[in-house]
């Protein structure tokens, strides 16, 4: 036998593609602000390592917000968040619960769906963080075409303590919201939340 060791070829690391041959997709922000963005090619959902590496790359390069505001990108991030391991879920949570980012994306036509998913999966300490972010301007969020959905999801998913805290921020604005096409939906969920809280208190 030869004394020379067998040298195996090195396996190259997963490289995130820097361009995409497909035409740019359009992400719609809020009602009137349109922005064309070119998305990188999505990795196969069957390759967990590639998906995680790709998502980490988006966070590190600051492009993750562009994906959240794109229809396909938002769906991709929702799937990653639900099926991903704890480290990548935590990285996504830490990024999107930054105040400026959360507030900016809350009333976006596609990003609001990801934030709703984050609320559904939020642990108690994360609920408290989201609650504090919404409390910065609950009335405005409740009037927003898309942010009102985020508020509704919070009332549906949060524990009693956080729901009571959010309800307090709407004190005095109920009539105004009930006459608003978006705020009216929040008021309906708010009434359901009050009944839920009363039921828990009486049990």
């Amino acid at each position: 036998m030869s004394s020379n060791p067998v040298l195996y070829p090195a396996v190259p690391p997963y490289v995130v593609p820097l361009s995409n041959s497909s035409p740019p997709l359009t992400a719609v922000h809020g009602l009137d602000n349109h922005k064309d963005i070119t998305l990188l090619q999505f990795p196969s959902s069957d390759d967990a390592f590639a998906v995680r590496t790709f998502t980490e790359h988006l966070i590190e390069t600051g492009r993750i917000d562009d994906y959240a505001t794109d229809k396909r990108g938002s769906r991709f991030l929702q799937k990653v968040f639900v099926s991903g391991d704890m480290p990548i879920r935590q990285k996504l949570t830490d990024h999107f619960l930054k105040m400026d980012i959360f507030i900016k994306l809350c009333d976006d036509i596609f990003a609001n769906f990801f934030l709703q998913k984050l609320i559904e999966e939020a642990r108690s300490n994360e609920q408290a963080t989201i609650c504090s972010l919404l409390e910065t301007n609950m009335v405005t969020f409740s009037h927003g075409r898309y942010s009102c959905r985020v508020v509704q999801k919070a009332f549906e998913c949060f524990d009693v303590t956080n729901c009571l805290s959010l309800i307090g921020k709407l004190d005095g604005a109920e009539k105004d919201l009930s006459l608003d096409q978006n705020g009216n939906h929040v008021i309906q969920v708010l009434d359901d939340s009050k009944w839920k809280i009363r039921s828990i208190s009486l049990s």
Side-chain angles (χ1 to χ4, degrees):
M1 294 180 61
S2 172
S3 60
N4 294 329
V6 177
L7 299 179
Y8 294 96
V11 178
Y14 174 76
V15 179
V16 178
L18 298 179
S19 63
N20 186 8
S21 58
S22 60
L25 299 178
T26 300
V28 183
H29 300 266
L31 297 177
D32 304 313
N33 185 17
H34 296 262
K35 178 183 178 183
D36 290 336
I37 59 173
T38 301
L39 300 184
L40 303 176
Q41 183 177 350
F42 290 94
S44 169
S45 59
D46 297 329
D47 189 339
F49 175 75
V51 168
R52 177 176 177 177
T53 303
F54 181 80
T55 306
E56 289 175 337
H57 171 78
L58 295 180
I59 295 173
E60 292 167 1
T61 58
R63 295 208 59 192
I64 194 79
D65 295 353
D66 287 338
Y67 279 70
T69 56
D70 175 81
K71 186 175 183 178
R72 285 198 304 155
S74 177
R75 289 175 177 172
F76 170 78
L77 292 177
Q78 290 174 61
K79 188 176 296 185
V80 171
F81 186 75
V82 171
S83 61
D85 57 22
M86 187 54 66
I88 196 62
R89 285 168 61 102
Q90 192 60 54
K91 287 183 178 181
L92 287 169
T93 299
D94 291 343
H95 176 82
F96 285 103
L97 290 191
K98 294 175 182 176
M99 178 177 289
D100 57 332
I101 294 173
F102 183 90
I103 292 175
K104 177 182 69 175
L105 299 181
C106 208
D107 201 39
D108 182 86
I109 186 173
F110 298 125
N112 83 87
F113 289 109
F114 176 79
L115 295 181
Q116 288 185 61
K117 185 62 64 177
L118 195 154
I119 288 172
E120 287 179 358
E121 303 286 333
R123 294 169 292 185
S124 58
N125 63 314
E126 293 163 352
Q127 282 192 17
T129 299
I130 297 169
C131 186
S132 66
L133 293 173
L134 289 173
E135 285 177 345
T136 59
N137 208 333
M138 266 292 285
V139 175
T140 299
F141 286 136
S142 298
H143 277 292
R145 181 174 181 180
Y146 304 110
S147 56
C148 73
R149 302 175 185 178
V150 177
V151 173
Q152 292 173 64
K153 183 62 68 174
F155 277 124
E156 292 170 0
C157 299
F158 282 2
D159 58 31
V160 171
T161 300
N162 287 312
C163 281
L164 285 172
S165 184
L166 293 177
I167 289 172
K169 295 298 180 179
L170 294 178
D171 187 35
E174 292 92 337
K175 182 177 180 180
D176 180 47
L177 289 172
S178 66
L179 298 175
D180 180 78
Q181 61 178 345
N182 301 317
N184 180 53
H185 296 297
V186 173
I187 292 299
Q188 293 179 40
V189 175
L190 178 61
D191 290 339
D192 292 339
S193 296
K194 287 180 178 178
W195 279 111
K196 178 179 70 175
I197 292 169
R198 288 171 185 166
S199 299
I200 293 175
S201 300
L202 293 173
S203 61

